[in-house]
């Protein structure tokens, strides 16, 4: 069943994703497009029932005020403006806020009464549409999927299995930047329990060698993303008929990797870091979903709760939590401290409450005392945040006794560490990850 769509045209607003999520929460599908979309591109989109021009502080690019194509107003599609004064618009509203419920209330009449959109955006419909699209795109060819064991790749795996069955080949690459026991867990769940066609590749030395001396976060992400593709190309040569690469790209990845009116927040290895000479076509069935929608999709596909609500983990893994140039001893400190944090959060029941929590070890040391002598060792920084869509985040207020216990264990059990700090920064102004 084809879903009706409300198109959001980005004219420099910070709240595009809030508007998109609010419309989807009303049961109507919504996507964000650049302000300079052409009439032809607009007409090519399916079931467009309305357009929202979302203006804001970034509507001046390179010193020039931007605007949409005037011909857009002449297409017979209802147009609404927010934070943008256009007399041709059917409806005008003040600039939106970050409150999804308030935006839902403000948009309801426009979406249903003015645009006559039908509330047919739901997970069963989305899954059916994606299965149809995947079958059409892939045919009888094989898809190679990077299976980290994270929520996004797990849901993609389930969706691809539903669409193409045995033509899916899952590849788990241990790049040496995994959390403690992570690869073993992936093998147990996917190969032994779900009977997926799983190939395990231990590329630890290969990745760490490539990353030696590289301190720039963007360069690290692109090296990791590029090396991933090389590994997959090598695995693909071992299997006949592989022409596609499945990826767990989701909407926040696309948005944060930059739009025409917003600067890059960070390159995601599955968006901006792919080699130009890549040999595969991409299959990215989740690229228009927010994180909470990805989880809903996984549950609808029958994945177990513990897998769907698993801790988010970035593609570059601990590589972006071992800040600056990665060293093996500092990487081990991140891994061991993270394991302690996860164990203590689980004991305290915080693993069910907190959306994401992890440790970071920066590339500097501070003076301390160990065994009655002066020490010069690293700090461990703890980050624990809550979010719905990964676009904004608040800091979890962890009870003091729990933090003290975690601190005590890290200082006693993790080598070369003499301080533990707690990151109090929300998103924005901070991002979720440090790099």
């Amino acid at each position: 069943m084809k879903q009706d769509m409300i198109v959001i045209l980005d004219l420099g607003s910070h709240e595009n994703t809030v508007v998109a999520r609010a419309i989807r929460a009303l049961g109507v599908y919504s996507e964000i497009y650049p302000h300079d979309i052409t009439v032809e591109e607009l007409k090519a989109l399916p079931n467009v029932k309305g357009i929202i021009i979302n203006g804001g502080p970034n509507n001046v690019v390179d010193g020039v005020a931007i605007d949409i194509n005037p011909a857009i107003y002449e297409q017979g599609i209802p147009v609404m403006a927010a934070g943008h004064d256009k007399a041709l618009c059917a409806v005008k509203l003040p600039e939106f806020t970050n409150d999804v419920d308030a935006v839902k209330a403000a948009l309801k009449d426009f979406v249903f009464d003015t645009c006559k959109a039908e509330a047919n955006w739901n997970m069963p419909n989305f899954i059916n549409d994606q299965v149809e699209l995947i079958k059409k795109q892939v045919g009888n060819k094989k898809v190679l999927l990077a299976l980290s064991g994270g929520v996004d790749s797990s849901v993609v795996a389930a969706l691809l299995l539903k669409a193409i069955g045995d033509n899916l080949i899952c590849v788990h690459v241990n790049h040496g930047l995994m959390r403690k026991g992570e690869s073993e867990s992936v093998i147990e769940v996917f190969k032994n329990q779900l009977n997926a066609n799983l190939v395990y590749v231990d590329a630890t030395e290969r990745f760490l060698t490539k990353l030696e001396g590289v301190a720039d976060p963007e360069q690290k992400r692109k090296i990791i993303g590029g090396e991933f593709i090389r590994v997959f190309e090598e695995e693909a040569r071992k299997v006949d008929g592989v022409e596609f690469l499945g990826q767990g790209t989701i909407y926040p990845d696309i948005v944060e990797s930059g739009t025409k009116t917003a600067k890059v927040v960070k390159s995601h290895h599955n968006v901006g870091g792919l080699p130009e000479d890549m040999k595969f076509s991409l299959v990215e069935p989740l690229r228009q979903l927010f994180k909470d929608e990805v989880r809903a999709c996984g549950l609808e596909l029958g994945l177990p709760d513990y897998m769907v609500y698993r801790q988010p983990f970035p593609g570059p893994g601990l590589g972006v939590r071992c800040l600056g140039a990665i060293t093996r001893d500092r990487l081990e400190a991140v891994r061991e401290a993270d394991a302690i944090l996860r164990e203590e959060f689980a004991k305290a029941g915080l693993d069910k409450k907190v959306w994401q929590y992890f440790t970071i070890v920066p590339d500097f040391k501070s003076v301390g005392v160990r065994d009655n002598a002066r020490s010069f060792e690293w700090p461990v920084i703890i980050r624990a945040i809550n979010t719905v869509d990964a676009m904004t985040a608040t800091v979890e207020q962890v009870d003091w006794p729990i933090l003290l216990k975690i601190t005590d264990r890290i200082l006693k059990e993790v080598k070369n560490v003499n301080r533990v700090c707690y990151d109090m920064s929300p998103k924005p102004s901070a991002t979720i990850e440090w790099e």
Side-chain angles (χ1 to χ4, degrees):
M1 182 179 184
K2 298 299 181 184
Q3 288 129 352
D4 290 345
M5 186 197 300
I6 303 292
V7 170
I8 298 163
L9 297 185
D10 174 19
L11 205 62
S13 174
H14 294 309
E15 282 84 40
N16 292 313
T17 54
V18 179
V19 178
R21 291 195 69 253
I23 295 170
R24 293 187 191 185
L26 289 169
V28 178
Y29 187 56
S30 180
E31 288 185 7
I32 304 164
Y33 285 91
H35 69 280
D36 58 355
I37 189 172
T38 65
V39 171
E40 290 72 24
E41 289 169 335
L42 182 66
K43 286 182 176 178
L45 298 175
N47 294 16
V48 176
K49 298 293 185 180
I51 297 169
I52 294 175
I53 306 168
N54 203 19
N58 293 331
N59 66 348
V60 176
V61 177
D62 296 329
V64 179
I66 59 174
D67 206 343
I68 72 165
N69 184 342
I72 297 292
Y73 297 109
E74 301 167 8
Q75 301 309 305
I77 302 171
V79 179
M80 186 190 83
H84 180 59
D85 185 21
K86 278 290 177 183
L88 289 167
C89 296
V91 182
K92 294 187 187 65
L93 287 176
E95 288 192 43
F96 291 130
T97 68
N98 278 312
D99 186 340
V100 172
D101 288 334
V103 177
K104 275 173 60 180
L107 292 176
K108 188 174 181 180
D109 289 346
F110 174 74
V111 170
F112 295 116
D113 297 340
T114 306
C115 299
K116 309 297 183 188
E118 186 179 340
N120 55 9
W121 161 245
N122 56 54
M123 274 307 143
N125 286 346
F126 171 81
I127 290 168
N128 290 336
D129 284 352
Q130 288 303 318
V131 166
E132 183 183 325
L133 289 170
I134 292 166
K135 287 179 177 178
K136 186 176 179 181
Q137 181 185 5
V138 173
N140 292 321
K141 303 295 184 181
K142 291 185 171 64
V143 177
L144 204 61
L145 173 66
L147 181 56
S148 67
V151 178
D152 302 336
S153 66
S154 298
V155 175
V156 168
L159 194 50
L160 288 171
L161 280 168
K162 183 177 178 69
I164 60 172
D166 291 340
N167 282 337
L168 172 66
I169 300 168
C170 299
V171 179
H172 175 69
V173 177
N174 180 0
H175 48 26
L177 306 169
M178 305 294 289
R179 289 176 290 199
K180 190 173 183 178
E182 194 110 47
S183 288
E184 294 83 352
S185 175
V186 169
I187 293 168
E188 170 59 27
V189 171
F190 287 94
K191 190 169 188 175
N192 300 342
Q193 295 180 24
L194 299 182
N195 299 314
N197 188 355
L198 178 66
V199 177
Y200 172 71
V201 182
D202 187 350
T204 299
E205 290 301 318
R206 177 172 173 171
F207 274 82
L208 295 185
T209 300
K210 285 266 186 182
L211 290 164
E212 280 180 10
V214 179
D216 180 71
E218 287 294 290
Q219 193 179 353
K220 284 201 291 188
R221 285 177 179 273
K222 289 182 177 179
I223 287 172
I224 294 167
E227 202 61 23
F228 254 102
I229 299 300
R230 300 300 175 221
V231 172
F232 290 133
E233 284 180 336
E234 292 168 14
E235 293 304 318
R237 292 190 195 106
K238 302 174 186 176
V239 184
D240 293 332
V242 172
E243 294 185 10
F244 296 91
L245 176 67
Q247 287 200 145
T249 308
I250 66 174
Y251 216 20
D253 299 341
I254 305 294
V255 174
E256 288 193 337
S257 292
T259 67
K260 294 182 181 179
T261 61
K263 295 181 180 178
V264 173
V265 177
K266 60 190 174 188
S267 291
H268 287 260
H269 78 285
N270 50 4
V271 178
L274 299 176
E276 293 180 2
D277 60 346
M278 189 181 70
K279 301 294 192 296
F280 303 116
S281 298
L282 293 180
V283 180
E284 300 174 302
L286 306 182
R287 65 181 287 115
Q288 296 296 345
L289 293 188
F290 294 103
K291 196 73 178 191
D292 56 318
E293 294 170 333
V294 173
R295 296 187 196 280
C297 182
L299 293 174
E300 185 67 31
L301 286 164
L303 290 177
D305 282 12
Y306 70 83
M307 188 178 296
V308 170
Y309 290 101
R310 180 182 174 275
Q311 268 282 290
F313 195 52
L318 299 180
V320 291
R321 295 174 181 173
C322 184
L323 306 186
I326 297 168
T327 60
R328 296 178 189 236
D329 49 0
R330 203 152 46 83
L331 181 61
E332 194 60 24
V334 178
R335 183 177 285 118
E336 291 299 323
D338 179 80
I340 291 170
L341 177 67
R342 287 191 288 138
E343 185 177 324
E344 293 301 327
F345 263 42
K347 286 180 184 176
L350 291 173
D351 59 328
K352 302 285 196 304
K353 180 187 176 189
V354 182
W355 189 82
Q356 190 168 10
Y357 45 95
F358 54 90
T359 59
I360 304 114
V361 176
D363 56 348
F364 61 81
K365 295 182 178 180
S366 69
V367 68
V369 178
R370 186 176 294 280
D371 299 327
N372 296 316
R374 183 179 185 273
S375 69
F376 200 55
E377 298 172 309
W378 299 302
V380 167
I381 300 162
I382 296 172
R383 183 116 169 100
I385 57 94
N386 289 307
T387 182
V388 173
D389 57 13
M391 300 306 297
T392 61
T394 56
V395 177
E396 173 67 18
Q397 298 180 34
V398 181
D399 289 341
W400 204 243
I402 299 171
L403 280 179
L404 289 176
K405 186 176 181 184
I406 293 168
T407 299
D408 184 61
R409 283 196 60 191
I410 289 175
L411 293 178
K412 286 179 178 176
E413 299 175 32
V414 182
K415 293 180 181 178
N416 303 310
V417 168
N418 64 1
R419 290 180 190 270
V420 177
C421 308
Y422 193 69
D423 184 349
M424 295 293 293
S425 314
K427 177 181 180 178
S429 59
T431 53
I432 293 173
E433 298 288 342
W434 272 53
E435 286 190 341

